[in-house]
Each structure stands twice: as structure tokens, then as C-alpha cells.
Amino acid sequence: HQLSQTPSSSSQPSNDHNGNGRKQKTKRRNKRKNQRNKKSQQQSRDEQLVQLKQQRQESLVSFGNNLMENLDAKYCNYFADDMREVWEQQIVDFVSIYEDIDRSLLEDDEYLQQKKDEMREAWEDILMLIKEDFDADQQARYKIAAQRAKE
């Protein structure tokens, strides 16, 4: 009577074997799926970092160009080609900082702002040179005008 209540021993191993086989297949399948998902997530993360790097670099280029474009019209004639080349090289130098940068700095908005502040300071140095040239030219013009007035 007890034997009829328990499953037969011959059918139990085959069910366990089939169940374990399915479980193992499912585990392997899930493991491969998880590996693919992790790889996909890492690729997606890498792509996001590349996009962020490009955005940061474009932001610095745009910022540098805006500084140059906002030069007061009276100084434009004194922004010589050699100064423009120096400024453009400085922009390139600021942008290249993002080529081999630590991920935490790449994602740091304050770091970007710090680089923009440094860029603004570099522009102020160039602007000071432009203003010096402008002032020297203005003084020369005043001297010439004063000499002509004496004659």
C-alpha cells in the first residue's frame, strides 16, 4: 500500500535527469544571454563616453571661437594672422586634453568649466596684446596729428 503512494524509483531518475538537463541548458542559455547583455551594455557605455568626449571637445571649440568672434570691431585690424594662429593652436591644445582623459574627468561638468575658464584667461592674454598694439598705434596717430597741427 505504501508503494503506490510514492513514485516508482525507475521513473524518478529519468525525470530528474531530464529536469536537470533542461535546467542546465537554461542556465547555459541565460549565461550566454547575460554575457551578451553585459557586452552590449559595455559597448553602449563606451559609445556614450565617445559621444560625451566629442560634445566636450565641440563645446571648447565653440567657446574659443565665440571669444574670438566677439572681439570688439576697433581691435579687429590688430588681431594679426600670427595672433590668430596662436589662438587657434591654443584651442587645439585645450581640445586635445580630452583625448586621453580619465573617465571621471570626462564626465565632470566642473572640469569642463575649469577648462573654459582657463581658455578665457588665455584669450585675455591675447586680448591684452591686441590692446597694446591698438594703444601704441593710437599714440603714434596722436603724435602725427600733433606734429601736423604745429606746422
Side-chain angles (χ1 to χ4, degrees):
H1 189 58
Q2 283 182 330
L3 290 177
S4 63
Q5 291 178 354
T6 60
S8 68
S9 61
S10 64
S11 65
Q12 187 174 4
S14 65
N15 285 341
D16 281 349
H17 179 67
N18 288 339
N20 284 339
R22 277 189 225 124
K23 286 181 185 178
Q24 287 176 352
K25 265 187 179 178
T26 303
K27 282 183 182 180
R28 283 193 302 262
R29 194 175 310 131
N30 287 341
K31 185 176 179 180
R32 281 181 284 194
K33 186 177 177 182
N34 288 338
Q35 287 172 342
R36 283 192 301 264
N37 286 342
K38 285 180 184 177
K39 190 175 182 179
S40 175
Q41 288 173 350
Q42 183 60 39
Q43 286 175 340
S44 176
R45 180 72 179 138
D46 291 344
E47 289 170 1
Q48 288 174 345
L49 290 174
V50 167
Q51 287 177 339
L52 182 59
K53 180 174 86 170
Q54 289 173 342
Q55 289 172 353
R56 301 291 197 202
Q57 289 175 321
E58 289 170 5
S59 175
L60 286 173
V61 169
S62 177
F63 183 74
N65 286 336
N66 285 339
L67 288 171
M68 185 174 55
E69 290 169 1
N70 290 330
L71 180 64
D72 192 334
K74 70 181 180 181
Y75 298 124
C76 287
N77 292 335
Y78 301 92
F79 187 45
D81 289 341
D82 59 337
M83 284 187 197
R84 181 181 303 273
E85 288 174 15
V86 167
W87 178 241
E88 288 173 351
Q89 183 56 50
Q90 286 185 346
I91 292 173
V92 169
D93 292 345
F94 278 103
V95 168
S96 67
I97 290 169
Y98 278 99
E99 285 303 318
D100 297 317
I101 193 170
D102 183 65
R103 191 177 103 193
S104 63
L105 288 176
L106 175 62
E107 295 173 328
D108 188 353
D109 290 334
E110 288 180 24
Y111 183 76
L112 175 63
Q113 187 57 49
Q114 176 187 349
K115 292 301 154 192
K116 286 182 176 181
D117 291 343
E118 291 172 13
M119 187 180 279
R120 184 178 290 111
E121 289 174 16
W123 174 249
E124 290 295 325
D125 291 343
I126 289 178
L127 189 56
M128 185 178 64
L129 294 173
I130 294 169
K131 287 179 179 181
E132 286 175 2
D133 288 348
F134 175 81
D135 291 343
D137 191 47
Q138 289 296 97
Q139 287 177 355
R141 288 181 186 188
Y142 290 138
K143 285 181 183 179
I144 292 171
Q147 286 176 348
R148 287 184 183 165
K150 286 181 184 178
E151 297 174 358

